[in-house]
Amino acid sequence: MTDGRITTAKLGDHGPEVGVQGLGCMGMSFAYGPVDAEASRATLERALELGVTFYDTADAYGAGENERFLSPFFKAHRDEVVIATKFALSIPPDDPTRRVIRNDPPYIRQAVEASLKRLDVDVIDLYYMHRRDVNVPIEESVGTMAELVREGKVKHLGLSEVTADELRAAHAVHPIAAVQSEWSLFSRDIEPKVVPAARDLGVALVPYSPLGRGFLTGSFAKAEDLTPDDFRRQQPRFTGDNAARNAALLEPIRTIASSHGATPGQIALAWVQQQAAVHNLPVIPIPGTRKPSRVEENTAATRIVLTEEEVSLLDPIAAQVAGNRYADMAFTSAGRE
């Protein structure tokens, strides 16, 4: 790989071949403070040059704005990219700040048509259920998603933040290509149940926030370091005493990074990438960034191999993390397992 391009892996038994690292695109339009469209466009192009072919968005990111922003890039490179988007977080017309989880069939059909229009594509490569509405049987929701596959509107199906039992029930209706969930040195709650279920079913794991929403890179140390409109200011891990306790956990990452001539973020990503071998299933993390230089840094992490001794220094970190990853964990798989 003298050109710096990353290798590829199959997105589970039922998905397409993609680069072993994808790109989370949410921050290009939403959630992480001021945006820079020109830098984001350059980031997309550089990612593709480096072999990143898997691009992640959702209809809820900026109320559809992220899908619209990505559309020209996808159209220019349609045969080279795998487009993943999501439904389920409905925005009430009377309160654009709220999100209501909807998994009912009429809403799924409404959502897919809206995403197809914003993305300006004929088919979505991977369509995720973003969050689970426990009041709607998952078999009913996935049944409707399967109809979208048969109708040629969607190629593959995915789920996000589901429990092991929910994954098995969904997979019995239609093959699931990928499960997306938070997975990092700071967040390992999917390992006891969800990861084994995915392995047994031939489903890929797509870790979002593999850099702990940037905290593992050392780019910020507490919520107050962030701009007022950054949603991380509301997350328990980055506020008050929790932030100080968690910042102290980064020292082993820095030490290992120094020995590799790497950045802390690269070590954190290398650990996630190596979970594919640890758990014997495809693991395609989707770190998000808006800078070409960060894409170069992130993809280089796929070539770092951590020793057993280094892994043994990193593995205890998650158990020491202070604070939940969300203020309300009810909408995560860990909140229902």
Side-chain angles (χ1 to χ4, degrees):
M1 294 187 297
T2 55
D3 63 353
R5 288 177 62 85
I6 60 176
T7 58
T8 63
K10 202 163 186 296
L11 199 65
D13 292 349
H14 309 284
E17 191 86 7
V18 296
V20 293
Q21 188 179 107
L23 181 62
C25 301
M26 178 178 78
M28 295 180 178
S29 306
F30 169 73
Y32 291 128
V35 299
D36 184 334
E38 184 176 349
S40 293
R41 282 191 285 269
T43 299
L44 293 167
E45 296 289 348
R46 183 61 178 141
L48 189 59
E49 291 172 354
L50 292 168
V52 176
T53 57
F54 184 44
Y55 295 82
D56 184 86
T57 183
D59 60 3
Y61 298 163
E65 185 54 39
N66 197 233
E67 289 179 326
R68 282 187 286 266
F69 172 77
L70 294 169
S71 175
F73 171 74
F74 290 156
K75 286 194 70 176
H77 302 286
R78 188 64 187 98
D79 295 337
E80 304 169 80
V81 301
V82 172
I83 302 170
T85 193
K86 315 176 195 74
F87 75 88
L89 300 182
S90 174
I91 304 172
D94 58 339
D95 187 356
T97 64
R98 289 182 60 222
R99 298 290 185 274
V100 176
I101 299 177
R102 290 189 61 181
N103 293 172
D104 56 285
Y107 180 75
I108 295 172
R109 289 196 163 276
Q110 172 188 329
V112 74
E113 295 297 341
S115 285
L116 286 166
K117 184 175 181 179
R118 284 188 295 264
L119 292 164
D120 196 16
V121 295
D122 295 326
V123 61
I124 294 165
D125 299 312
L126 177 62
Y127 199 43
Y128 287 105
M129 177 191 295
H130 203 162
R131 290 292 185 271
R132 170 95 170 92
D133 178 1
V134 296
N135 297 308
V136 179
I138 198 164
E139 295 87 350
E140 184 176 332
S141 302
V142 175
T144 300
M145 296 168 71
E147 291 172 4
L148 301 180
V149 176
R150 290 191 288 271
E151 293 165 12
K153 295 175 181 178
V154 170
K155 289 184 180 179
H156 306 284
L157 302 185
L159 304 169
S160 181
E161 291 284 2
V162 292
T163 68
D165 287 345
E166 289 166 350
L167 172 57
R168 290 190 183 94
H171 193 80
V173 176
H174 187 279
I176 301 299
V179 166
Q180 185 176 126
S181 192
E182 189 165 353
W183 198 7
S184 74
L185 284 170
F186 264 30
S187 301
R188 300 180 60 180
D189 50 59
I190 63 170
E191 290 179 30
K193 295 184 179 181
V194 178
V195 171
R199 180 184 60 239
D200 293 347
L201 296 171
V203 177
L205 251 296
V206 177
Y208 71 82
S209 299
L211 294 170
R213 301 194 183 278
F215 195 83
L216 291 165
T217 70
S219 61
F220 73 101
K222 58 185 183 301
E224 291 76 14
D225 296 339
L226 304 167
T227 58
D229 57 345
D230 194 308
F231 93 115
R232 291 172 291 182
R233 291 176 69 97
Q234 311 304 319
Q235 294 191 295
R237 289 182 174 174
F238 310 135
T239 58
D241 292 342
N242 287 349
R245 289 175 59 185
N246 293 335
L249 299 176
L250 303 184
E251 192 54 39
I253 304 173
R254 295 193 188 97
T255 300
I256 295 168
S258 179
S259 69
H260 280 268
T263 66
Q266 287 177 316
I267 299 305
L269 274 175
W271 181 89
V272 175
Q273 300 277 177
Q274 283 186 216
Q275 297 311 300
V278 172
H279 295 281
N280 192 30
L281 81 170
V283 176
I284 315 293
I286 49 169
T289 185
R290 299 173 288 192
K291 297 179 180 179
S293 62
R294 290 297 189 195
V295 167
E296 293 166 3
E297 177 183 331
N298 292 346
T299 53
T302 65
R303 297 185 284 278
I304 295 174
V305 179
L306 301 173
T307 67
E308 289 185 15
E309 182 180 359
E310 289 167 340
V311 171
S312 71
L313 294 174
L314 297 172
D315 278 349
I317 291 175
Q320 303 173 66
V321 173
N324 285 327
R325 47 194 179 97
Y326 292 102
D328 184 355
M329 290 288 286
F331 305 113
T332 69
S333 59
R336 298 192 305 279
E337 282 285 12

